[in-house]
Short mmCIF file of all heavy atoms in Angstrom, two decimals:
data_model
loop_
_atom_site.label_atom_id
_atom_site.label_comp_id
_atom_site.label_asym_id
_atom_site.label_seq_id
_atom_site.Cartn_x
_atom_site.Cartn_y
_atom_site.Cartn_z
N ASP A 25 138.72 112.69 7.48
CA ASP A 25 139.79 113.68 7.43
C ASP A 25 140.26 113.97 8.86
O ASP A 25 139.63 114.73 9.59
CB ASP A 25 139.27 114.96 6.76
CG ASP A 25 140.35 116.01 6.59
OD1 ASP A 25 141.40 115.91 7.24
OD2 ASP A 25 140.12 116.95 5.80
N ARG A 26 141.37 113.36 9.24
CA ARG A 26 141.82 113.43 10.63
C ARG A 26 142.30 114.82 11.04
O ARG A 26 142.37 115.12 12.24
CB ARG A 26 142.93 112.40 10.87
CG ARG A 26 142.44 110.97 10.72
CD ARG A 26 143.56 109.94 10.80
NE ARG A 26 143.05 108.61 10.50
CZ ARG A 26 142.49 107.79 11.37
NH1 ARG A 26 142.39 108.18 12.65
NH2 ARG A 26 142.05 106.61 11.02
N GLU A 27 142.64 115.65 10.10
CA GLU A 27 143.07 117.01 10.44
C GLU A 27 141.89 117.88 10.85
O GLU A 27 142.06 118.82 11.63
CB GLU A 27 143.80 117.65 9.26
CG GLU A 27 145.15 117.00 8.95
CD GLU A 27 145.91 117.76 7.88
OE1 GLU A 27 145.37 118.81 7.41
OE2 GLU A 27 147.00 117.32 7.53
N ARG A 28 140.72 117.58 10.36
CA ARG A 28 139.56 118.42 10.62
C ARG A 28 138.50 117.76 11.48
O ARG A 28 137.65 118.44 12.06
CB ARG A 28 138.93 118.88 9.30
CG ARG A 28 139.90 119.69 8.44
CD ARG A 28 139.19 120.42 7.33
NE ARG A 28 138.43 119.51 6.47
CZ ARG A 28 137.13 119.61 6.24
NH1 ARG A 28 136.42 120.57 6.82
NH2 ARG A 28 136.52 118.77 5.44
N PHE A 29 138.51 116.40 11.56
CA PHE A 29 137.46 115.71 12.27
C PHE A 29 138.01 114.57 13.14
O PHE A 29 139.04 113.97 12.81
CB PHE A 29 136.45 115.11 11.28
CG PHE A 29 135.74 116.11 10.43
CD1 PHE A 29 136.21 116.38 9.14
CD2 PHE A 29 134.63 116.79 10.90
CE1 PHE A 29 135.58 117.31 8.35
CE2 PHE A 29 133.98 117.72 10.10
CZ PHE A 29 134.46 117.99 8.82
N ARG A 30 137.30 114.32 14.23
CA ARG A 30 137.45 113.07 14.98
C ARG A 30 136.11 112.35 14.89
O ARG A 30 135.08 112.98 14.71
CB ARG A 30 137.78 113.33 16.45
CG ARG A 30 139.15 113.96 16.70
CD ARG A 30 139.39 114.10 18.19
NE ARG A 30 138.40 114.96 18.81
CZ ARG A 30 137.86 114.77 20.02
NH1 ARG A 30 138.19 113.68 20.73
NH2 ARG A 30 136.98 115.61 20.51
N VAL A 31 136.13 111.04 14.98
CA VAL A 31 134.86 110.32 14.94
C VAL A 31 134.70 109.45 16.18
O VAL A 31 135.68 108.95 16.75
CB VAL A 31 134.72 109.44 13.67
CG1 VAL A 31 134.73 110.30 12.42
CG2 VAL A 31 135.79 108.38 13.60
N MET A 32 133.46 109.30 16.58
CA MET A 32 133.06 108.38 17.63
C MET A 32 131.95 107.52 17.02
O MET A 32 131.02 108.04 16.42
CB MET A 32 132.52 109.15 18.85
CG MET A 32 132.03 108.24 19.97
SD MET A 32 131.14 109.09 21.31
CE MET A 32 132.00 110.63 21.44
N ILE A 33 132.08 106.21 17.12
CA ILE A 33 131.15 105.30 16.45
C ILE A 33 130.61 104.30 17.47
O ILE A 33 131.40 103.62 18.14
CB ILE A 33 131.82 104.55 15.29
CG1 ILE A 33 132.36 105.56 14.26
CG2 ILE A 33 130.84 103.58 14.62
CD1 ILE A 33 133.17 104.94 13.14
N GLY A 34 129.30 104.24 17.61
CA GLY A 34 128.73 103.34 18.60
C GLY A 34 127.33 102.89 18.24
O GLY A 34 126.82 103.17 17.15
N SER A 35 126.69 102.22 19.18
CA SER A 35 125.40 101.59 18.91
C SER A 35 124.39 101.82 20.02
O SER A 35 124.75 102.11 21.17
CB SER A 35 125.59 100.08 18.73
OG SER A 35 126.01 99.48 19.94
N ILE A 36 123.12 101.66 19.68
CA ILE A 36 122.07 101.62 20.70
C ILE A 36 122.22 100.33 21.50
O ILE A 36 122.03 100.31 22.71
CB ILE A 36 120.69 101.68 20.04
CG1 ILE A 36 120.48 103.02 19.34
CG2 ILE A 36 119.59 101.47 21.08
CD1 ILE A 36 119.17 103.11 18.57
N ALA A 37 122.56 99.25 20.82
CA ALA A 37 122.65 97.93 21.45
C ALA A 37 123.81 97.85 22.45
O ALA A 37 124.72 98.68 22.42
CB ALA A 37 122.83 96.85 20.38
N PRO A 38 123.79 96.85 23.31
CA PRO A 38 124.88 96.68 24.28
C PRO A 38 126.22 96.46 23.58
O PRO A 38 126.29 96.12 22.40
CB PRO A 38 124.46 95.43 25.06
CG PRO A 38 122.97 95.39 24.94
CD PRO A 38 122.68 95.91 23.57
N ASP A 39 127.26 96.66 24.34
CA ASP A 39 128.63 96.52 23.87
C ASP A 39 128.82 95.17 23.16
O ASP A 39 128.35 94.14 23.63
CB ASP A 39 129.59 96.63 25.05
CG ASP A 39 131.03 96.85 24.61
OD1 ASP A 39 131.65 95.89 24.16
OD2 ASP A 39 131.51 97.98 24.73
N GLY A 40 129.53 95.21 22.00
CA GLY A 40 129.73 93.97 21.26
C GLY A 40 130.81 94.11 20.22
O GLY A 40 131.80 94.82 20.42
N ALA A 41 130.60 93.46 19.08
CA ALA A 41 131.64 93.38 18.05
C ALA A 41 132.01 94.74 17.47
O ALA A 41 133.18 94.99 17.16
CB ALA A 41 131.17 92.45 16.93
N LEU A 42 131.03 95.64 17.32
CA LEU A 42 131.32 96.97 16.79
C LEU A 42 132.29 97.71 17.71
O LEU A 42 133.29 98.28 17.26
CB LEU A 42 130.03 97.76 16.62
CG LEU A 42 130.19 99.24 16.22
CD1 LEU A 42 130.83 99.37 14.85
CD2 LEU A 42 128.84 99.96 16.25
N GLN A 43 131.97 97.72 18.98
CA GLN A 43 132.83 98.43 19.94
C GLN A 43 134.23 97.83 19.99
O GLN A 43 135.23 98.55 20.05
CB GLN A 43 132.18 98.41 21.33
CG GLN A 43 130.97 99.33 21.48
CD GLN A 43 129.72 98.77 20.82
OE1 GLN A 43 129.64 97.59 20.49
NE2 GLN A 43 128.70 99.62 20.65
N GLU A 44 134.30 96.51 19.94
CA GLU A 44 135.61 95.86 19.96
C GLU A 44 136.43 96.26 18.74
O GLU A 44 137.63 96.55 18.84
CB GLU A 44 135.43 94.34 19.98
CG GLU A 44 136.73 93.56 20.04
CD GLU A 44 136.51 92.06 20.10
OE1 GLU A 44 135.35 91.63 20.24
OE2 GLU A 44 137.51 91.32 20.00
N ALA A 45 135.79 96.32 17.57
CA ALA A 45 136.49 96.72 16.35
C ALA A 45 136.96 98.16 16.43
O ALA A 45 138.09 98.49 16.02
CB ALA A 45 135.58 96.52 15.15
N MET A 46 136.12 99.05 16.95
CA MET A 46 136.49 100.45 17.05
C MET A 46 137.67 100.64 18.02
O MET A 46 138.59 101.41 17.74
CB MET A 46 135.30 101.29 17.50
CG MET A 46 134.19 101.39 16.48
SD MET A 46 134.71 102.03 14.87
CE MET A 46 134.70 100.53 13.86
N ARG A 47 137.63 99.93 19.13
CA ARG A 47 138.75 100.03 20.07
C ARG A 47 140.04 99.55 19.43
O ARG A 47 141.11 100.12 19.66
CB ARG A 47 138.44 99.24 21.35
CG ARG A 47 137.41 99.93 22.26
CD ARG A 47 137.28 99.24 23.61
NE ARG A 47 136.51 98.01 23.52
CZ ARG A 47 135.21 97.91 23.77
NH1 ARG A 47 134.52 98.99 24.11
NH2 ARG A 47 134.58 96.75 23.69
N GLY A 48 139.94 98.50 18.59
CA GLY A 48 141.12 98.01 17.90
C GLY A 48 141.67 99.02 16.91
O GLY A 48 142.87 99.00 16.61
N LEU A 49 140.82 99.91 16.40
CA LEU A 49 141.26 100.94 15.46
C LEU A 49 141.64 102.24 16.17
O LEU A 49 141.99 103.22 15.50
CB LEU A 49 140.15 101.22 14.45
CG LEU A 49 139.83 100.08 13.47
CD1 LEU A 49 138.57 100.42 12.67
CD2 LEU A 49 141.00 99.85 12.53
N GLY A 50 141.56 102.25 17.49
CA GLY A 50 141.86 103.47 18.24
C GLY A 50 140.81 104.55 18.07
O GLY A 50 141.10 105.75 18.19
N THR A 51 139.57 104.14 17.82
CA THR A 51 138.46 105.07 17.58
C THR A 51 137.55 105.13 18.81
O THR A 51 137.23 104.08 19.38
CB THR A 51 137.65 104.62 16.35
OG1 THR A 51 138.50 104.66 15.20
CG2 THR A 51 136.45 105.51 16.12
N LEU A 52 137.14 106.32 19.18
CA LEU A 52 136.20 106.46 20.28
C LEU A 52 134.94 105.66 19.98
O LEU A 52 134.44 105.66 18.85
CB LEU A 52 135.82 107.93 20.48
CG LEU A 52 136.86 108.86 21.10
CD1 LEU A 52 136.38 110.31 21.03
CD2 LEU A 52 137.15 108.46 22.53
N THR A 53 134.41 104.99 20.98
CA THR A 53 133.20 104.21 20.77
C THR A 53 132.31 104.28 22.00
O THR A 53 132.74 104.76 23.06
CB THR A 53 133.56 102.73 20.44
OG1 THR A 53 132.36 102.04 20.06
CG2 THR A 53 134.20 102.03 21.62
N PHE A 54 131.06 103.83 21.84
CA PHE A 54 130.12 103.88 22.95
C PHE A 54 129.03 102.84 22.72
O PHE A 54 128.84 102.33 21.61
CB PHE A 54 129.48 105.27 23.08
CG PHE A 54 128.61 105.65 21.91
CD1 PHE A 54 127.24 105.40 21.92
CD2 PHE A 54 129.16 106.26 20.78
CE1 PHE A 54 126.44 105.74 20.85
CE2 PHE A 54 128.36 106.60 19.70
CZ PHE A 54 127.00 106.35 19.73
N SER A 55 128.30 102.54 23.76
CA SER A 55 127.11 101.70 23.70
C SER A 55 126.07 102.30 24.62
O SER A 55 126.39 102.68 25.75
CB SER A 55 127.45 100.27 24.13
OG SER A 55 126.27 99.57 24.46
N LEU A 56 124.84 102.37 24.13
CA LEU A 56 123.74 102.88 24.96
C LEU A 56 123.09 101.77 25.78
O LEU A 56 122.21 102.03 26.60
CB LEU A 56 122.70 103.59 24.10
CG LEU A 56 123.23 104.78 23.29
CD1 LEU A 56 122.10 105.42 22.49
CD2 LEU A 56 123.91 105.81 24.18
N GLY A 57 123.51 100.53 25.54
CA GLY A 57 123.11 99.42 26.39
C GLY A 57 121.66 98.97 26.28
O GLY A 57 121.17 98.28 27.17
N ALA A 58 120.97 99.32 25.18
CA ALA A 58 119.55 98.96 25.06
C ALA A 58 119.42 97.66 24.27
O ALA A 58 119.65 97.63 23.06
CB ALA A 58 118.78 100.07 24.36
N SER A 59 119.02 96.60 24.95
CA SER A 59 118.85 95.30 24.30
C SER A 59 117.45 95.11 23.72
O SER A 59 117.19 94.15 23.02
CB SER A 59 119.14 94.18 25.29
OG SER A 59 118.32 94.30 26.44
#
């Protein structure tokens, strides 16, 4: 629900396919860089 929430979606693992997909959707993303 974009009127009430924003989402940030990320992983413990290093930057990869998840982050690329989230950036493509204009969604905040992160990586904690733990391999």
Side-chain angles (χ1 to χ4, degrees):
D25 183 343
R26 295 174 186 275
E27 292 187 1
R28 300 195 303 123
F29 298 96
R30 293 183 299 142
V31 297
M32 178 190 324
I33 301 174
S35 66
I36 295 175
D39 195 284
L42 173 64
Q43 287 76 15
E44 182 178 352
M46 292 303 106
R47 286 189 283 265
L49 293 171
T51 298
L52 287 172
T53 188
F54 65 93
S55 162
L56 301 181
S59 56

